[in-house]
Coordinates of all heavy atoms in Angstrom, one line a residue:
M1 N 42.8 59.0 109.7 CA 42.5 60.4 109.5 C 42.9 60.8 108.1 O 43.9 60.5 107.7 CB 43.2 61.3 110.5 CG 42.7 62.7 110.5 SD 43.5 63.8 111.8 CE 43.1 62.9 113.2
Q2 N 42.0 61.5 107.4 CA 42.3 61.9 106.0 C 42.7 63.3 106.0 O 42.5 64.1 106.9 CB 41.0 61.7 105.2 CG 40.6 60.2 105.0 CD 39.3 60.1 104.2 OE1 38.7 61.1 103.8 NE2 38.9 58.9 104.0
D3 N 43.4 63.7 104.8 CA 43.8 65.1 104.6 C 42.6 66.0 104.7 O 41.5 65.8 104.2 CB 44.4 65.3 103.3 CG 45.8 64.6 103.2 OD1 46.2 64.1 104.3 OD2 46.3 64.5 102.1
G4 N 42.8 67.2 105.4 CA 41.7 68.2 105.5 C 40.7 67.9 106.6 O 39.7 68.6 106.7
T5 N 41.0 66.9 107.5 CA 40.1 66.6 108.5 C 40.3 67.5 109.7 O 41.4 67.8 110.1 CB 40.4 65.1 109.0 OG1 40.3 64.2 107.9 CG2 39.5 64.7 110.1
A6 N 39.2 68.0 110.3 CA 39.2 68.8 111.4 C 39.4 68.0 112.7 O 38.8 67.0 112.9 CB 37.9 69.7 111.5
L7 N 40.3 68.4 113.5 CA 40.6 67.8 114.8 C 40.4 68.8 115.9 O 41.4 69.5 116.2 CB 42.0 67.1 114.8 CG 42.4 66.4 116.0 CD1 41.5 65.2 116.3 CD2 43.9 66.0 115.9
G8 N 39.2 68.9 116.4 CA 39.0 70.0 117.4 C 39.0 71.3 116.6 O 38.4 71.5 115.6
S9 N 39.8 72.3 117.1 CA 39.9 73.6 116.4 C 41.1 73.6 115.4 O 41.4 74.6 114.8 CB 40.1 74.7 117.4 OG 41.3 74.5 118.1
I10 N 41.8 72.4 115.2 CA 42.9 72.3 114.4 C 42.6 71.6 113.1 O 41.9 70.5 113.2 CB 44.1 71.6 115.1 CG1 44.5 72.3 116.3 CG2 45.3 71.3 114.1 CD1 45.5 71.5 117.2
L11 N 43.0 72.1 112.0 CA 42.8 71.4 110.7 C 44.0 70.6 110.4 O 45.1 71.1 110.2 CB 42.5 72.4 109.6 CG 42.3 71.8 108.2 CD1 41.0 70.9 108.2 CD2 42.1 72.9 107.2
V12 N 43.9 69.3 110.3 CA 45.0 68.4 110.0 C 44.9 68.2 108.5 O 44.0 67.6 107.9 CB 44.9 67.0 110.7 CG1 46.0 66.1 110.2 CG2 44.8 67.2 112.2
W13 N 45.9 68.8 107.8 CA 45.9 68.8 106.3 C 46.7 67.6 105.8 O 46.4 67.0 104.8 CB 46.4 70.1 105.8 CG 46.3 70.1 104.3 CD1 47.3 70.0 103.4 CD2 45.1 70.3 103.6 NE1 46.8 70.1 102.1 CE2 45.4 70.3 102.2 CE3 43.8 70.5 104.0 CZ2 44.4 70.4 101.2 CZ3 42.8 70.6 103.0 CH2 43.2 70.6 101.6
N14 N 47.8 67.2 106.5 CA 48.7 66.2 106.0 C 49.4 65.6 107.2 O 49.7 66.2 108.2 CB 49.7 66.8 105.0 CG 50.4 65.8 104.2 OD1 50.1 64.6 104.3 ND2 51.3 66.2 103.4
R15 N 49.8 64.3 107.0 CA 50.7 63.7 108.0 C 51.9 63.3 107.3 O 51.9 62.8 106.1 CB 50.0 62.5 108.6 CG 48.9 62.8 109.5 CD 48.3 61.6 110.2 NE 47.2 62.0 111.1 CZ 47.4 62.1 112.4 NH1 48.5 61.7 113.0 NH2 46.4 62.4 113.2
I16 N 53.1 63.5 107.9 CA 54.3 63.2 107.2 C 55.0 62.1 108.0 O 55.2 62.2 109.2 CB 55.3 64.5 107.2 CG1 54.6 65.6 106.5 CG2 56.6 64.2 106.6 CD1 55.2 66.9 106.7
G17 N 55.3 61.0 107.3 CA 55.9 59.9 108.0 C 57.4 60.0 108.0 O 58.0 61.0 107.6
P18 N 58.1 58.9 108.5 CA 59.6 58.9 108.5 C 60.2 59.2 107.2 O 59.7 58.7 106.2 CB 59.9 57.5 109.0 CG 58.6 57.0 109.7 CD 57.5 57.7 109.0
G19 N 61.2 60.1 107.2 CA 61.9 60.4 105.9 C 61.2 61.5 105.1 O 61.7 61.9 104.1
G20 N 60.1 62.0 105.6 CA 59.3 63.0 104.9 C 59.9 64.4 105.1 O 60.9 64.5 105.9
S21 N 59.5 65.4 104.4 CA 60.0 66.7 104.5 C 58.9 67.7 104.3 O 57.8 67.4 103.8 CB 61.1 67.0 103.5 OG 60.5 66.9 102.2
F22 N 59.2 68.9 104.8 CA 58.2 70.0 104.7 C 59.0 71.3 104.7 O 60.1 71.4 105.2 CB 57.1 70.0 105.8 CG 57.7 70.0 107.2 CD1 58.0 71.2 107.8 CD2 58.0 68.8 107.8 CE1 58.5 71.2 109.1 CE2 58.6 68.8 109.1 CZ 58.8 70.0 109.7
G23 N 58.4 72.4 104.2 CA 59.0 73.7 104.3 C 59.9 74.0 103.1 O 60.5 75.1 103.1
E24 N 60.1 73.1 102.1 CA 61.0 73.3 101.0 C 60.6 74.5 100.1 O 61.5 75.2 99.6 CB 61.2 72.1 100.2 CG 60.0 71.6 99.4 CD 59.0 70.8 100.2 OE1 59.2 70.6 101.4 OE2 58.0 70.3 99.6
L25 N 59.3 74.8 100.0 CA 58.9 75.9 99.1 C 59.3 77.2 99.8 O 59.7 78.1 99.1 CB 57.4 75.9 98.9 CG 57.0 74.7 98.0 CD1 55.4 74.7 97.8 CD2 57.6 74.7 96.6
A26 N 59.2 77.3 101.1 CA 59.7 78.5 101.7 C 61.2 78.7 101.6 O 61.6 79.9 101.4 CB 59.3 78.4 103.2
L27 N 61.9 77.6 101.6 CA 63.4 77.7 101.4 C 63.7 78.1 100.0 O 64.6 78.9 99.7 CB 64.1 76.4 101.7 CG 64.1 76.0 103.2 CD1 64.6 74.6 103.4 CD2 65.0 77.0 104.0
I28 N 63.0 77.6 99.0 CA 63.3 77.8 97.6 C 63.0 79.3 97.2 O 63.7 80.0 96.6 CB 62.6 76.8 96.7 CG1 63.2 75.4 96.8 CG2 62.7 77.3 95.2 CD1 62.3 74.4 96.2
Y29 N 61.8 79.7 97.6 CA 61.3 81.0 97.2 C 61.5 82.1 98.2 O 61.0 83.2 98.0 CB 59.8 80.9 96.8 CG 59.6 79.9 95.7 CD1 58.9 78.7 95.9 CD2 60.1 80.2 94.4 CE1 58.7 77.9 94.8 CE2 60.0 79.3 93.4 CZ 59.3 78.2 93.6 OH 59.1 77.3 92.5
F30 N 62.2 81.8 99.3 CA 62.5 82.8 100.3 C 61.2 83.5 100.8 O 61.0 84.7 100.8 CB 63.5 83.9 99.8 CG 64.1 84.7 100.9 CD1 64.9 84.1 101.9 CD2 63.9 86.0 101.0 CE1 65.5 84.8 102.9 CE2 64.5 86.8 102.1 CZ 65.3 86.1 103.0
A31 N 60.2 82.6 101.1 CA 58.9 83.0 101.6 C 58.6 82.5 103.0 O 59.3 81.6 103.5 CB 57.9 82.4 100.6
P32 N 57.7 83.1 103.7 CA 57.4 82.6 105.0 C 56.7 81.2 104.9 O 56.1 80.9 103.9 CB 56.4 83.6 105.5 CG 55.9 84.4 104.4 CD 56.9 84.3 103.3
R33 N 56.8 80.5 106.0 CA 56.1 79.1 106.0 C 54.6 79.3 105.8 O 54.1 80.3 106.2 CB 56.3 78.5 107.3 CG 57.7 78.0 107.6 CD 57.9 77.3 108.9 NE 57.7 78.3 110.0 CZ 56.7 78.3 110.8 NH1 55.7 77.5 110.8 NH2 56.6 79.2 111.8
A34 N 54.0 78.4 105.1 CA 52.6 78.5 104.9 C 51.8 77.7 105.9 O 50.5 77.8 105.9 CB 52.3 77.9 103.5
A35 N 52.4 77.0 106.8 CA 51.7 76.2 107.8 C 52.5 76.0 109.1 O 53.7 76.2 109.1 CB 51.3 74.8 107.2
T36 N 51.8 75.6 110.1 CA 52.5 75.2 111.3 C 52.5 73.7 111.4 O 51.6 73.0 111.1 CB 51.7 75.8 112.5 OG1 51.7 77.2 112.4 CG2 52.3 75.3 113.9
V37 N 53.6 73.2 111.8 CA 53.8 71.7 111.9 C 54.0 71.3 113.4 O 54.8 72.0 114.1 CB 55.1 71.3 111.1 CG1 55.3 69.8 111.3 CG2 54.9 71.7 109.7
E38 N 53.2 70.3 113.8 CA 53.4 69.8 115.2 C 53.5 68.3 115.2 O 52.8 67.7 114.4 CB 52.1 70.2 116.0 CG 52.0 71.7 116.3 CD 50.8 72.0 117.2 OE1 50.4 71.0 117.9 OE2 50.3 73.1 117.2
A39 N 54.4 67.8 116.0 CA 54.6 66.3 116.0 C 53.5 65.8 116.9 O 53.1 66.3 118.0 CB 56.0 66.0 116.6
T40 N 53.0 64.6 116.5 CA 51.9 64.0 117.3 C 52.6 62.9 118.2 O 51.9 62.3 119.0 CB 50.8 63.3 116.4 OG1 51.5 62.4 115.5 CG2 50.1 64.4 115.7
E41 N 53.8 62.6 118.0 CA 54.6 61.7 118.8 C 56.0 62.1 118.9 O 56.4 63.1 118.1 CB 54.5 60.3 118.3 CG 54.9 60.1 116.9 CD 54.6 58.8 116.3 OE1 53.4 58.4 116.2 OE2 55.6 58.1 115.9
K42 N 56.8 61.5 119.7 CA 58.2 61.8 119.8 C 58.9 61.7 118.4 O 58.7 60.7 117.7 CB 59.0 60.9 120.8 CG 60.4 61.3 121.1 CD 61.0 60.5 122.2 CE 62.4 61.0 122.4 NZ 63.0 60.3 123.6
A43 N 59.6 62.8 118.0 CA 60.2 62.8 116.7 C 61.6 63.5 116.7 O 61.8 64.3 117.6 CB 59.3 63.5 115.7
T44 N 62.4 63.2 115.8 CA 63.7 63.9 115.6 C 63.5 64.7 114.3 O 63.1 64.2 113.3 CB 64.9 62.9 115.4 OG1 65.0 62.1 116.6 CG2 66.1 63.7 115.1
V45 N 63.8 66.0 114.4 CA 63.6 66.9 113.3 C 64.9 67.5 112.9 O 65.6 68.0 113.8 CB 62.6 68.0 113.6 CG1 62.4 68.9 112.4 CG2 61.2 67.4 114.0
W46 N 65.3 67.4 111.6 CA 66.5 68.0 111.1 C 66.2 69.3 110.5 O 65.2 69.4 109.8 CB 67.2 67.1 110.1 CG 67.7 65.8 110.7 CD1 67.0 64.8 111.2 CD2 69.1 65.5 110.9 NE1 67.8 63.8 111.7 CE2 69.1 64.2 111.5 CE3 70.3 66.1 110.6 CZ2 70.3 63.6 111.8 CZ3 71.4 65.4 110.9 CH2 71.4 64.2 111.5
V47 N 67.0 70.3 110.8 CA 66.7 71.6 110.2 C 67.9 72.0 109.3 O 69.1 71.7 109.6 CB 66.6 72.7 111.4 CG1 66.4 74.1 110.8 CG2 65.5 72.3 112.3
I48 N 67.6 72.7 108.2 CA 68.6 73.1 107.3 C 68.4 74.6 106.9 O 67.2 74.9 106.7 CB 68.7 72.2 106.0 CG1 69.9 72.6 105.2 CG2 67.4 72.2 105.2 CD1 70.2 71.5 104.1
D49 N 69.4 75.4 106.8 CA 69.2 76.8 106.4 C 69.1 76.9 104.9 O 69.4 76.0 104.2 CB 70.4 77.6 107.0 CG 71.7 77.2 106.3 OD1 72.3 76.3 106.9 OD2 72.0 77.8 105.3
R50 N 68.6 78.0 104.5 CA 68.3 78.2 103.1 C 69.5 78.1 102.2 O 69.5 77.5 101.1 CB 67.6 79.6 102.9 CG 67.2 79.9 101.5 CD 66.5 81.2 101.4 NE 66.0 81.4 100.1 CZ 66.6 82.1 99.1 NH1 67.7 82.7 99.4 NH2 66.0 82.3 97.9
G51 N 70.6 78.7 102.6 CA 71.8 78.6 101.8 C 72.3 77.2 101.5 O 72.6 76.9 100.4
N52 N 72.4 76.4 102.6 CA 72.8 75.0 102.4 C 71.8 74.2 101.6 O 72.2 73.4 100.8 CB 73.1 74.4 103.7 CG 74.4 74.8 104.3 OD1 75.4 74.9 103.6 ND2 74.4 75.2 105.6
F53 N 70.5 74.5 101.8 CA 69.5 73.8 101.0 C 69.7 74.0 99.6 O 69.6 73.1 98.7 CB 68.1 74.2 101.5 CG 67.0 73.6 100.8 CD1 66.6 72.3 101.1 CD2 66.3 74.3 99.8 CE1 65.5 71.7 100.4 CE2 65.3 73.7 99.1 CZ 64.9 72.4 99.4
K54 N 69.9 75.3 99.2 CA 70.0 75.7 97.8 C 71.3 75.1 97.2 O 71.3 74.7 96.0 CB 70.0 77.2 97.6 CG 68.6 77.7 98.0 CD 68.1 78.9 97.3 CE 68.0 78.8 95.9 NZ 66.9 79.6 95.3
K55 N 72.4 75.0 98.0 CA 73.6 74.4 97.5 C 73.4 72.9 97.2 O 73.9 72.4 96.2 CB 74.7 74.5 98.6 CG 75.4 75.9 98.6 CD 76.4 75.9 99.7 CE 76.9 77.3 100.0 NZ 77.8 77.3 101.2
I56 N 72.7 72.2 98.1 CA 72.4 70.8 97.9 C 71.5 70.6 96.7 O 71.8 69.7 95.8 CB 71.8 70.2 99.1 CG1 72.8 70.1 100.3 CG2 71.2 68.8 98.9 CD1 72.2 69.9 101.7
L57 N 70.5 71.5 96.5 CA 69.6 71.4 95.4 C 70.4 71.6 94.1 O 70.2 70.9 93.1 CB 68.5 72.5 95.5 CG 67.2 72.2 94.8 CD1 66.6 71.0 95.3 CD2 66.3 73.4 95.1
A58 N 71.3 72.6 94.0 CA 72.1 72.9 92.8 C 73.0 71.7 92.5 O 73.2 71.3 91.3 CB 72.9 74.2 93.0
K59 N 73.7 71.2 93.5 CA 74.6 70.0 93.3 C 73.8 68.8 92.7 O 74.2 68.2 91.8 CB 75.3 69.6 94.6 CG 76.2 68.5 94.4 CD 76.9 68.1 95.7 CE 77.9 67.0 95.5 NZ 78.3 66.4 96.7
S60 N 72.6 68.6 93.3 CA 71.8 67.5 92.8 C 71.4 67.7 91.3 O 71.4 66.8 90.5 CB 70.6 67.4 93.7 OG 69.7 66.4 93.2
A61 N 71.0 69.0 91.0 CA 70.7 69.3 89.6 C 71.9 69.1 88.7 O 71.7 68.6 87.5 CB 70.1 70.7 89.5
D62 N 73.1 69.5 89.1 CA 74.3 69.4 88.3 C 74.6 67.9 88.0 O 74.9 67.5 86.9 CB 75.5 70.0 89.0 CG 75.4 71.5 88.9 OD1 74.6 72.1 88.1 OD2 76.2 72.2 89.7
E63 N 74.4 67.1 89.1 CA 74.7 65.6 88.9 C 73.7 65.0 87.9 O 74.0 64.2 87.1 CB 74.6 64.9 90.3 CG 75.8 65.3 91.2 CD 75.6 64.8 92.6 OE1 74.6 64.2 92.9 OE2 76.6 65.0 93.4
L64 N 72.4 65.4 88.0 CA 71.4 64.9 87.1 C 71.7 65.3 85.7 O 71.5 64.5 84.8 CB 70.0 65.4 87.6 CG 68.8 64.8 86.9 CD1 68.8 63.2 87.1 CD2 67.5 65.4 87.5
E65 N 72.1 66.5 85.5 CA 72.5 67.0 84.2 C 73.6 66.2 83.6 O 73.6 65.8 82.4 CB 72.9 68.5 84.2 CG 73.3 69.1 82.9 CD 73.8 70.5 83.0 OE1 74.0 71.0 84.1 OE2 73.9 71.1 81.9
G66 N 74.6 65.9 84.4 CA 75.7 65.0 84.0 C 75.2 63.7 83.5 O 75.7 63.1 82.5
E67 N 74.3 63.1 84.3 CA 73.8 61.8 83.9 C 73.0 61.9 82.6 O 73.2 61.0 81.7 CB 72.8 61.3 85.0 CG 73.6 60.9 86.3 CD 74.6 59.8 86.1 OE1 74.3 58.8 85.4 OE2 75.7 59.9 86.6
Y68 N 72.3 62.9 82.4 CA 71.6 63.1 81.1 C 72.5 63.2 79.9 O 72.3 62.7 78.9 CB 70.6 64.3 81.1 CG 69.4 64.1 82.0 CD1 68.8 65.2 82.6 CD2 68.8 62.9 82.2 CE1 67.6 65.1 83.4 CE2 67.7 62.7 83.0 CZ 67.1 63.8 83.6 OH 66.0 63.7 84.4
L69 N 73.6 64.0 80.1 CA 74.6 64.2 79.1 C 75.3 62.9 78.7 O 75.5 62.6 77.5 CB 75.6 65.3 79.5 CG 75.1 66.7 79.5 CD1 76.1 67.6 80.1 CD2 74.6 67.1 78.2
K70 N 75.6 62.0 79.7 CA 76.2 60.7 79.4 C 75.2 59.9 78.6 O 75.6 59.2 77.7 CB 76.5 60.0 80.7 CG 77.7 60.5 81.5 CD 77.8 59.7 82.8 CE 78.9 60.4 83.7 NZ 79.0 59.7 85.0
L71 N 73.9 59.9 78.9 CA 72.9 59.2 78.1 C 72.9 59.7 76.7 O 72.8 58.9 75.7 CB 71.6 59.2 78.8 CG 71.4 58.4 80.1 CD1 70.1 58.7 80.7 CD2 71.5 57.0 79.8
L72 N 72.9 61.0 76.5 CA 72.8 61.6 75.2 C 74.0 61.3 74.4 O 73.9 61.2 73.1 CB 72.6 63.1 75.3 CG 71.2 63.6 75.8 CD1 71.2 65.1 76.0 CD2 70.1 63.1 74.8
D73 N 75.2 61.2 75.0 CA 76.4 60.8 74.3 C 76.3 59.4 73.7 O 77.0 59.1 72.7 CB 77.6 60.9 75.2 CG 78.2 62.3 75.4 OD1 77.8 63.2 74.6 OD2 78.9 62.5 76.4
K74 N 75.4 58.6 74.2 CA 75.3 57.2 73.7 C 74.3 57.1 72.5 O 74.2 56.1 71.9 CB 74.8 56.3 74.8 CG 75.9 56.1 75.9 CD 75.4 55.3 77.0 CE 76.4 55.2 78.1 NZ 75.9 54.4 79.3
V75 N 73.6 58.2 72.2 CA 72.6 58.2 71.2 C 73.3 58.5 69.8 O 73.8 59.6 69.6 CB 71.5 59.3 71.4 CG1 70.5 59.3 70.3 CG2 70.8 59.0 72.7
E76 N 73.4 57.4 69.0 CA 74.1 57.5 67.7 C 73.6 58.6 66.8 O 74.3 59.3 66.1 CB 74.1 56.2 67.0 CG 75.1 56.1 65.8 CD 75.1 54.8 65.2 OE1 75.0 53.8 66.0 OE2 75.3 54.7 64.0
L77 N 72.3 58.8 66.8 CA 71.6 59.8 66.0 C 72.1 61.2 66.2 O 72.1 62.0 65.4 CB 70.1 59.7 66.2 CG 69.2 60.6 65.4 CD1 69.3 60.3 63.9 CD2 67.8 60.6 65.8
L78 N 72.5 61.4 67.5 CA 73.0 62.8 67.9 C 74.5 63.0 67.6 O 75.0 64.1 67.8 CB 72.7 63.0 69.3 CG 71.2 63.0 69.7 CD1 71.0 63.2 71.2 CD2 70.4 64.0 68.9
S79 N 75.2 62.0 67.2 CA 76.7 62.1 67.1 C 77.1 63.2 66.1 O 78.2 63.8 66.4 CB 77.3 60.7 66.7 OG 76.8 60.3 65.5
P80 N 76.4 63.4 65.0 CA 76.9 64.6 64.1 C 76.8 65.9 64.9 O 77.6 66.8 64.6 CB 75.9 64.5 63.0 CG 75.3 63.1 62.9 CD 75.3 62.7 64.4
L81 N 75.9 66.1 65.8 CA 75.8 67.3 66.5 C 77.0 67.5 67.5 O 77.5 68.6 67.6 CB 74.5 67.3 67.4 CG 73.2 67.3 66.6 CD1 72.0 67.2 67.6 CD2 73.1 68.6 65.7
K82 N 77.5 66.3 68.0 CA 78.6 66.4 68.9 C 79.9 66.8 68.1 O 80.7 67.6 68.6 CB 78.8 65.0 69.5 CG 79.9 64.8 70.5 CD 79.9 63.5 71.1 CE 81.1 63.2 71.9 NZ 81.2 61.8 72.3
L83 N 80.1 66.3 66.9 CA 81.2 66.7 66.0 C 81.1 68.1 65.6 O 82.1 68.8 65.6 CB 81.3 65.8 64.8 CG 81.6 64.3 65.0 CD1 81.4 63.5 63.8 CD2 82.9 64.1 65.7
A84 N 79.9 68.6 65.4 CA 79.8 70.0 64.9 C 80.1 71.0 66.1 O 80.5 72.1 65.8 CB 78.3 70.2 64.4
G85 N 79.9 70.5 67.3 CA 80.2 71.4 68.4 C 81.6 71.5 68.8 O 82.0 72.3 69.7
Q86 N 82.5 70.7 68.2 CA 83.9 70.7 68.6 C 84.7 71.7 68.0 O 84.5 72.2 67.0 CB 84.5 69.3 68.3 CG 84.0 68.2 69.2 CD 84.6 66.8 68.8 OE1 85.3 66.7 67.8 NE2 84.3 65.9 69.7

């Protein structure tokens, strides 16, 4: 079945496999869900509230920023900027 395929009176827009996620835009922008999700087979679904989702997202962004700063510290061309900032 392809995205956007009609299945009876239901429009199947996407299928999400193991490890997939949905609803993140509603959590980020504090908006209502844009779609209804139904499992076609037995599944385990994990739910996370908006506050915890945003904390995890912020922590992930902070860790990524740290990695970028470590890489920039290794760029010799940028070393004069580092000294000027001290």
Side-chain angles (χ1 to χ4, degrees):
M1 186 176 305
Q2 296 178 356
D3 291 351
T5 303
L7 181 63
S9 62
I10 299 171
L11 178 64
V12 177
W13 187 254
N14 195 6
R15 289 183 178 259
I16 301 169
S21 63
F22 56 89
E24 66 279 2
L25 293 178
L27 290 170
I28 291 170
Y29 299 114
F30 200 61
R33 289 179 293 110
T36 298
V37 178
E38 290 185 22
T40 57
E41 58 189 61
K42 187 174 180 174
T44 300
V45 179
W46 291 70
V47 179
I48 186 168
D49 63 272
R50 182 174 187 263
N52 283 316
F53 179 79
K54 294 210 63 148
K55 284 179 192 174
I56 292 167
L57 205 58
K59 182 180 179 194
S60 177
D62 288 345
E63 289 171 357
L64 190 57
E65 179 184 10
E67 291 299 316
Y68 288 154
L69 290 174
K70 285 179 189 174
L71 289 172
L72 289 173
D73 279 344
K74 295 177 183 178
V75 178
E76 190 174 327
L77 181 66
L78 300 176
S79 61
L81 297 174
K82 187 175 167 185
L83 294 174
Q86 292 180 349

